Amino acid sequence: QVQVVESGGGLVQPGGSLRLSCLVSGSIASINAMGWYRQAPGKERELVAALTSGGTTNYSDSVKGRFTSSRDSPRTLSLQMNTLKPEDTAVYYCNAVGRRATAGLFNAWGQGTQVTVSS
């Protein structure tokens, strides 16, 4: 079974920074893509940053220049969030897509971590 666990959320003042981490565990042959998504109250889940196995990272316009995501190891992903704004408040989710060690593909989501930007 593939598991995805996020950590690092919390309360921060506007203009502050937070770093989220994501760990993928389980019987995995490869992870082809990883990404961060977020969902604010009353809104749909939206893409924040998407990383492909080719090394490309795509960011949403709302976070470009402020957030940086990196693949720190084959199974870990981080999201450095700087100059945070109240509108960044949301539950942040990590997603991983790849191939299982046994057979078949997986598309796994974490349980989410709350980020609140408020003074």
Side-chain angles (χ1 to χ4, degrees):
Q1 185 175 356
V2 178
Q3 291 187 321
V4 177
V5 178
E6 305 97 338
S7 62
L11 172 64
V12 63
Q13 292 186 344
S17 298
L18 274 178
R19 185 178 180 87
L20 305 183
S21 297
C22 170
L23 173 65
V24 183
S25 62
S27 186
I28 299 170
S30 63
I31 299 175
N32 300 326
M34 299 183 76
W36 290 97
Y37 294 74
R38 68 185 182 186
Q39 187 166 19
K43 296 187 176 181
E44 294 188 354
R45 190 172 299 188
E46 64 174 0
L47 173 70
V48 175
L51 289 76
T52 69
S53 59
T56 302
T57 305
N58 297 311
Y59 297 94
S60 68
D61 289 341
S62 62
V63 307
K64 204 171 293 183
R66 300 187 297 123
F67 290 12
T68 302
S69 187
S70 60
R71 189 97 170 252
D72 301 323
S73 77
R75 295 190 177 216
T76 61
L77 183 70
S78 64
L79 182 67
Q80 178 66 42
M81 306 184 292
N82 298 327
T83 319
L84 282 160
K85 305 175 181 180
E87 51 263 43
D88 294 318
T89 296
V91 178
Y92 283 70
Y93 298 90
C94 180
N95 173 254
V97 177
R99 186 171 297 277
R100 300 178 187 272
T102 51
L105 305 176
F106 70 87
N107 185 343
W109 292 86
Q111 79 290 348
T113 185
Q114 176 70 48
V115 172
T116 303
V117 185
S118 174
S119 55

